[in-house]
Amino acid sequence: MDAQSRGRADEIDPADQWVLNPRTGNYELRLDSSAAQQQPSVGAPRRAPQAPKAPEAPEPSPVVPKPRRGDGPPGGRRGGRSRRGGGGGRGRKALVITGGTLAFLLVAGSVAGYLYYDHLNSNLNVIDTGTAGSGGFKKDQAVNILVIGTDKRSGAGNEGYGDANSVGHADTTILFHVAKDRSNATALSIPRDLITNIPACPTKQPDGSTKEIPATKGTRFNNSLGQEGRDPGCTMRTVKELTGVTVDHFMMADFNAVKTLSTAVGGVPICLAKAVDDEEGSHLKLPAGEHRLQGEEALAFVRTRHAFGNQSDLDRIKIQQQFLSSMMREMKSKKTLTSPKKFLSLAEAATKSLSVDSGIGSIDRLTDLASELKDIDLKNITFTTLPVIDNPAEKVKATVVVNPAQADPLLQMIRGDVSLTEVEKKEKAAKEAADAQEKSKQEALLQGDRAQARDVRVDIYNGGGPAGSASTTLTWLQNSKGVSRASNLGNAPAKADATQLEYAPNQAGQARALADMMGLPASALKIGSADAAPRTPMKLTLGADFKGAGVSLTAPQQAPEDIQRVEADKAICAK
């Protein structure tokens, strides 16, 4: 309803009149002035669903049909009076929505809702990154989303933050890995001052052509975006080379996203262990204790570097993770999920603030993605940071490099889809019960004698590993392991997500020996039903999980000690 069409004499926002009936799970729109005091009517007649008009949406208001004579629920009663009396329900016009999802709330059965849905689509900024990602996500596969916060000073009021003319960098980057079974997620922050290699990157130009941006070695990670014309696809490629994880999609936001989203949710609760007075940088000034931040204050909180820890970017990452965890808790709280006004405000703010890849560049696709993520319990979401150490090549410590001792096992866990958190006991027990028999069979494959290296015969295919993987693996097996009877057969007929070794029952000794050499997990072994003829080679297909010859594919089951982490369901005070 358009508030102006009703005169708004009672100063009631129509969005506030959509209330959730706890007995039915449905939203009901109260149109009378006493709606705020009345309880939802369970027996209200159902009409074609209508969507409330969202703030700033330019579309016309939905038309609320007037009740007709004789309308009423089965049994001939409405509002406690008989149909014969005809006076029941006066002044209590109600529309009912079968609630639950934002998409239905926006589009179901309403012209205005459809127009608003189209309006949200037009809010999104879609960037074509070519083949930077996997091209989509599937229900039976893990999902990897790169969340990029750029320091580009776009938007009203942001030009005063430092370099107003900057094209922006990858200032805050989080690789969000969602488990295959959707029970847990890991959010890996990548420090902006990390020294790494940025691979060559094809970028789409405004005229539709493609420009190849040359690779850069030994530079800051944050240069993977904006600099030399690099787009988010370049950051996706850099993350894949750095972590070995293929990124499916990206979401990019600027300063305005922090301000608008924190405001739309009604403020983000934070806790300070000590007073903050950052006059040099963000100008954040707050006493110790609990606060609810939104708008400019929220942005100042996530930007400050001089108020916490050792005043480094690594400590700022911790603060940002705490802020994002709190925002997630606020978004999933009942007071947000059951408020259509907040729900629509969040939809408006999010779509205006985000740039996304073409794979999720519509409300339909974002809704599909959201449906994959919505049931993850916050206690099973862990924020962590790629382990690093000070750059040994610098006298004045300004950059960092990867700490392999901690980073390698952590990245193996992410690639192996191993959770950093203890998933809910019931979920874990059910999963273990379902997998126990299969796991036992797989582990049994590794039990028994091993063939000598000189007796191992194998054909090697590259089904998704880095370019040249079959050739480098052949050379490594021959020169380092003594496997002289191996062959490189080039690219596999089809792409493979995981490395797999296929062998016959009478080749089990060879398979075990090769699995030991390459660090193959039991799940990578696939035994056939019939014995092979003499001198028949096994078939090794290197999948997308293959990172290089000699790099084990067996993921550890526990995270390294002393890695930094923030659990999304826990509120802690910033120090």
Side-chain angles (χ1 to χ4, degrees), residues 18-21 24-28 96-106 108 331 336-340 343 367 370-371 374-375:
W18 287 80
V19 295
L20 184 69
N21 186 332
T24 64
N26 297 327
Y27 282 111
E28 298 183 1
V96 180
I97 276 189
T98 301
T101 67
L102 173 60
F104 193 85
L105 182 64
L106 292 175
M331 286 181 173
T336 297
L337 295 177
T338 59
S339 168
F343 225 34
T367 301
S371 69
K374 65 181 176 64
D375 293 330

Side-chain angles (χ1 to χ4, degrees), residues 3-287:
Q4 294 179 353
S5 68
R6 300 182 57 232
R8 201 176 173 93
D10 51 5
E11 294 299 323
I12 295 177
D13 189 329
D16 286 329
Q17 298 182 59
W18 287 80
V19 295
L20 184 69
N21 186 332
R23 295 181 59 189
T24 64
N26 297 327
Y27 282 111
E28 298 183 1
L29 177 59
R30 297 298 172 198
L31 304 181
D32 64 317
S33 60
S34 61
Q37 287 78 34
Q38 292 180 345
Q39 293 297 317
S41 171
V42 178
R46 292 178 181 262
R47 305 262 191 222
Q50 303 285 337
K53 183 170 170 57
E56 302 180 18
E59 291 73 21
S61 306
V63 177
V64 181
K66 297 180 179 180
R68 298 173 297 173
R69 291 182 60 87
D71 280 352
R77 298 190 64 82
R78 180 182 60 193
R81 299 188 183 184
S82 68
R83 293 174 58 185
R84 187 180 302 274
R90 182 178 302 171
R92 297 197 55 187
K93 305 170 187 175
L95 292 175
V96 180
I97 276 189
T98 301
T101 67
L102 173 60
F104 193 85
L105 182 64
L106 292 175
V107 305
S110 166
V111 173
Y114 173 79
L115 291 175
Y116 183 59
Y117 177 89
D118 191 56
H119 163 70
L120 290 180
N121 266 325
S122 67
N123 280 348
L124 286 170
N125 180 36
V126 181
I127 299 175
D128 184 0
T129 59
T131 58
S134 69
F137 60 89
K138 298 179 181 178
K139 292 183 179 297
D140 59 346
Q141 293 180 3
V143 182
N144 299 299
I145 304 165
L146 196 65
V147 181
I148 307 171
T150 174
D151 58 0
K152 184 176 181 180
R153 269 67 172 170
S154 57
N158 297 325
E159 60 277 355
Y161 299 128
D163 185 3
N165 298 316
S166 172
V167 295
H169 304 75
D171 192 54
T172 299
T173 305
I174 299 174
L175 176 61
F176 194 68
H177 170 83
V178 182
K180 175 180 177 179
D181 63 4
R182 307 297 188 255
S183 67
N184 63 87
T186 299
L188 178 73
S189 291
I190 301 175
R192 68 175 193 173
D193 295 325
L194 172 70
I195 297 300
T196 188
N197 298 328
I198 301 175
C201 177
T203 60
K204 290 291 183 72
Q205 303 300 302
D207 62 0
S209 63
T210 300
K211 176 183 177 182
E212 181 88 7
I213 300 176
T216 303
K217 293 187 176 181
T219 188
R220 276 180 165 88
F221 173 84
N222 67 349
N223 289 329
S224 65
L225 177 70
Q227 310 310 298
E228 301 180 40
R230 294 188 178 98
D231 65 8
C234 301
T235 309
M236 295 169 74
R237 289 178 172 87
T238 304
V239 169
K240 180 177 180 180
E241 184 166 299
L242 178 64
T243 67
V245 177
T246 297
V247 181
D248 301 304
H249 301 288
F250 81 85
M251 295 181 180
M252 184 171 69
D254 57 16
F255 286 170
N256 272 348
V258 177
K259 295 195 289 188
T260 57
L261 287 173
S262 61
T263 300
V265 80
V268 177
I270 62 103
C271 175
L272 299 177
K274 63 178 182 179
V276 172
D277 189 359
D278 183 12
E279 294 182 356
E280 297 180 27
S282 67
H283 305 295
L284 180 67
K285 187 173 183 177
L286 291 171

Side-chain angles (χ1 to χ4, degrees), residues 308-319:
F308 305 106
N310 62 8
Q311 303 185 15
S312 70
D313 183 57
L314 296 178
D315 280 292
R316 181 168 66 170
I317 286 174
K318 298 176 186 177
I319 299 303

Side-chain angles (χ1 to χ4, degrees), residues 442-467:
Q442 290 177 344
E443 290 181 345
L445 298 177
L446 294 176
Q447 304 301 316
D449 297 334
R450 268 70 172 161
Q452 296 294 315
R454 64 177 179 271
D455 296 326
V456 174
R457 298 175 183 268
V458 61
D459 288 340
I460 307 168
Y461 297 82
N462 188 359

Side-chain angles (χ1 to χ4, degrees), residues 203-435:
T203 60
K204 290 291 183 72
Q205 303 300 302
D207 62 0
S209 63
T210 300
K211 176 183 177 182
E212 181 88 7
I213 300 176
T216 303
K217 293 187 176 181
T219 188
R220 276 180 165 88
F221 173 84
N222 67 349
N223 289 329
S224 65
L225 177 70
Q227 310 310 298
E228 301 180 40
R230 294 188 178 98
D231 65 8
C234 301
T235 309
M236 295 169 74
R237 289 178 172 87
T238 304
V239 169
K240 180 177 180 180
E241 184 166 299
L242 178 64
T243 67
V245 177
T246 297
V247 181
D248 301 304
H249 301 288
F250 81 85
M251 295 181 180
M252 184 171 69
D254 57 16
F255 286 170
N256 272 348
V258 177
K259 295 195 289 188
T260 57
L261 287 173
S262 61
T263 300
V265 80
V268 177
I270 62 103
C271 175
L272 299 177
K274 63 178 182 179
V276 172
D277 189 359
D278 183 12
E279 294 182 356
E280 297 180 27
S282 67
H283 305 295
L284 180 67
K285 187 173 183 177
L286 291 171
E290 297 181 354
H291 304 273
R292 183 173 285 270
L293 304 184
Q294 60 184 11
E296 294 290 347
E297 272 196 326
L299 178 60
F301 180 77
V302 298
R303 289 187 64 243
T304 184
R305 290 186 62 172
H306 304 288
F308 305 106
N310 62 8
Q311 303 185 15
S312 70
D313 183 57
L314 296 178
D315 280 292
R316 181 168 66 170
I317 286 174
K318 298 176 186 177
I319 299 303
Q320 292 171 345
Q321 292 174 348
Q322 293 169 18
F323 181 86
L324 290 173
S325 296
S326 182
M327 180 179 282
M328 291 169 66
R329 292 193 297 272
E330 200 68 14
M331 286 181 173
K332 294 195 75 168
S333 67
K334 289 184 179 180
K335 62 184 177 182
T336 297
L337 295 177
T338 59
S339 168
K341 182 177 181 179
K342 281 191 177 182
F343 225 34
L344 296 178
S345 294
L346 277 169
E348 189 75 21
T351 53
K352 281 185 175 180
S353 303
L354 288 176
S355 295
V356 298
D357 63 279
S358 54
I360 52 174
S362 70
I363 299 302
D364 278 342
R365 292 173 181 175
L366 284 173
T367 301
D368 289 343
L369 180 60
S371 69
E372 292 290 301
L373 312 181
K374 65 181 176 64
D375 293 330
I376 302 177
D377 196 314
L378 288 177
K379 69 182 180 181
N380 295 329
I381 299 177
T382 301
F383 285 84
T384 188
T385 302
L386 183 68
V388 295
I389 56 175
D390 288 334
N391 188 350
E394 293 178 336
K395 292 183 178 179
V396 178
K397 304 305 180 184
T399 61
V400 293
V401 295
V402 171
N403 177 2
Q406 290 187 325
D408 288 350
L410 175 61
L411 293 175
Q412 285 184 48
M413 291 183 70
I414 294 175
R415 293 193 297 262
D417 202 29
V418 179
S419 173
L420 297 188
T421 62
E422 187 72 16
V423 297
E424 190 173 353
K425 290 183 178 180
K426 291 182 180 179
E427 295 174 354
K428 184 177 180 182
K431 187 176 186 301
E432 287 179 348
D435 293 346

